[in-house]
Amino acid sequence: MDIQDTIARIHHDTRPWMATTDPSLYVGRAGLILFDYLFQKHGGNAAGAVDFGEAIQQLAEDSIDTTNPLFCGGAAGVRWLFTYLYKEGILEENDWRFLCDPKEPFEETALILLEQGNYDFLHGATGIAHYLLYAMDEGRDAFFREFLRRLYALFGKSTDGRAIPRFSYEKQVPVPGEVNLGLAHGLPSLLLFCVQCCRQDVCAWEAEAIARRLIAYMVDNINTDTRENFFPSIAGKGISDKTSRLGWCYGDLGVAYSLYRAGQVFQDTRLRSLGVDILSKSTHRRTHAQTLVNDACLCHGSAGIAHIYHRLWRDTGLPVFQTACDAWIERTIGYATHPDGIAGYKMYDSPSEGYRNQMGFLEGPVGIGIVLLAYLTGDLGWDHCLMLNS
């Protein structure tokens, strides 16, 4: 099956899931709407298209009642989609403001979460702030200044004051002696958020001060033995496991990508080169033992890897990233069409099977379809929701 056939099959197979009651971006209907929009934008089958007006209205009604404010599974992700569609010219400004205002409850929640030490991108304060920065209005600098102040204060919760400690979901507290180096839950998302603040000139002085401390910690925690990987998933004194997977969520790709972006924005040639060097070396990791990749999904599978290399190829023009992107796209198509569904999406049979068995953006075929569309079209604007935007 070729890439266009795979995209069309994914679109056909996921459309019935528009009836899901979960409105969220990464897990539910907002991700499906994003895929359908991109599919139509790039010449997909109009006969099978969703009526955007009706779909957005229903999504708005369903998301109003959600008690989850977070980016991954809650209202912040849905509002990110509304903002993206506004920037794409699909929503009028008045409609966008009606759907996305007020923003104050999100600001208050983000600050409360930071006080608890929960800075997580997917399930904490940073994801909410990432949406608010994307939907930035004039005169909202006060929130971001306070957000960055509280974020900086989290350095004081660590054992040595050098990094912001990992947040434990089990105990709902920071773990002072451990630092999460995964993009989905750890320091790379904080660095990318601070870099975006500097790019948009929002509290840039405060953001760069935090970014410099994060960069120093990451660089200081490069493994002594870098033959397999450069960064552990979790750093900290006494942590002996220095390994990490290859993927969007954890591992060298997320850490080095954040260093590369910081080097660009801060015009730091050495830092940018360090990021590119680590990312280039990661392209040689292909076996299961080296990558721990079992499936095609965006989060921890081949599609996420392919898309990061695609983004890097477009940004740098380096052939090493084009070659790696092509290889991981080919593997993604193979996984997504595997006859027994081991690594594809046929394992997801019905909405009643729970969170793992869903058709969504982060762990399901919707994200796979979007990555394959981006590969064909070069349309990468949607990947802001993965913190990969340039």
Side-chain angles (χ1 to χ4, degrees), residues 134 166 211 234 268:
Y134 187 60
R166 177 178 75 85
I234 305 294
D268 186 329

Side-chain angles (χ1 to χ4, degrees), residues 69-71 76 106-107 109-110 113 121 124-133:
L70 306 178
F71 195 84
F106 288 89
E107 295 175 351
T109 299
L113 289 170
F121 171 55
T126 301
I128 297 175
H130 181 64
Y131 149 65
L132 291 169
L133 190 60

